[in-house]
Amino acid sequence: MIRIEKFVVNPLGENSLVISDETGECIFIDPGFFYDEEKDEIRSYIADNKLTPVKITNTHCHFDHIMGVEFIRDEYGIPLHAHADDAFWIEAAQEQANRFGFEVEPIRPIDAFLSENDTIKFGNTTLEVLHIPGHTPGHVVFYNRETGVLIAGDVLFYGSIGRTDLPRGNHNDLISNIKTKLFKLPDNTKVYCGHGPETTIGFEKSTNPFLT
């Protein structure tokens, strides 16, 4: 069984996740740790639970989701996995953050690229990769079929969807990908979002005003 620990971090209230299983191996998803106390909290969580981090996997590379990437890379010596179509956001991380009034350190390039139908493996756990462009061109989501859990990043929120007004966003693509890919998953699939509370596929199918 997997354990998902959510940390609400940085000034934008981004959800950074640590997913582990019974082997003690874990991955970071969208590490947005910004403040020193957030970094101390994650260090303590990893140490207290005797976890072994093996990789960083990002749903996408907007600056609030990568603020903690270099900290995690350096702290645990692990690589960053993300989609190639979001590499330009890594290159523009400082400029992107500055436009919103934040300073971040340069982010080194993505170490390994994720694509549709790839799998992310750690311990005894497998996550399936689905490419869901629209919020960003390289946005991916991670699905654990065994437990019925979807890590959706900023594609789908409780009662809402990701914004599409930033560079290379596309509203029509986002809506189409949610309906043709995510809404094919079981209704009881639990969805962890990049901001805000969790939801389910069934709930969003029936109530989300952007998608009904």
Side-chain angles (χ1 to χ4, degrees):
M1 289 292 292
I2 62 172
R3 175 182 178 183
I4 300 177
E5 195 72 17
K6 181 173 78 172
F7 300 84
V8 182
V9 297
N10 72 46
L12 281 77
E14 187 263 342
N15 294 334
S16 292
L17 304 179
V18 177
I19 305 184
S20 58
D21 70 10
E22 65 278 2
T23 69
E25 287 194 352
C26 71
I27 62 172
F28 291 89
I29 296 182
D30 293 354
F33 309 105
F34 181 70
Y35 297 113
D36 287 343
E37 54 266 33
E38 295 169 352
K39 297 176 182 179
D40 289 342
E41 183 182 12
I42 193 61
R43 284 191 190 101
S44 296
Y45 176 77
I46 297 297
D48 291 348
N49 290 278
K50 298 179 172 58
L51 299 178
T52 302
V54 296
K55 65 187 70 173
I56 304 164
T57 58
N58 262 59
T59 62
H60 66 296
C61 295
H62 280 158
F63 78 97
D64 53 321
H65 290 252
I66 60 173
M67 282 179 162
V69 162
E70 292 305 288
F71 157 65
I72 295 297
R73 268 176 162 165
D74 292 340
E75 187 77 12
Y76 300 106
I78 57 177
L80 169 64
H81 296 236
H83 197 284
D85 288 350
D86 264 20
F88 79 102
W89 279 124
I90 295 283
E91 297 167 2
Q94 289 182 296
E95 177 187 358
Q96 181 189 179
N98 288 342
R99 288 182 179 178
F100 286 83
F102 301 104
E103 291 187 8
V104 299
E105 61 186 323
I107 310 295
R108 286 170 283 176
I110 297 166
D111 297 298
F113 294 127
L114 298 172
S115 300
E116 176 85 0
N117 297 322
D118 281 352
T119 55
I120 296 166
K121 296 183 178 181
F122 62 97
N124 296 324
T125 300
T126 298
L127 304 179
E128 301 171 29
V129 178
L130 300 174
H131 184 206
I132 312 289
H135 178 62
T136 70
H139 201 300
V140 291
V141 301
F142 309 122
Y143 178 54
N144 183 246
R145 191 172 297 274
E146 290 73 23
T147 58
V149 166
L150 178 73
I151 312 301
D154 286 4
V155 165
L156 183 64
F157 298 120
Y158 180 91
S160 189
I161 58 171
R163 60 187 294 180
T164 55
D165 59 332
L166 295 172
R168 295 182 62 185
N170 187 300
H171 181 80
N172 290 336
D173 284 352
L174 181 61
I175 297 297
S176 175
N177 280 303
I178 291 172
K179 289 184 174 180
T180 60
K181 293 184 178 181
L182 300 191
F183 279 5
K184 288 183 178 179
L185 300 177
D187 282 354
N188 64 352
T189 300
K190 185 174 183 178
V191 180
Y192 284 82
C193 309
H195 301 266
E198 291 74 58
T199 185
T200 67
I201 290 294
F203 182 80
E204 298 309 320
K205 273 186 184 176
S206 61
T207 66
N208 193 307
F210 296 93
L211 298 163
T212 54

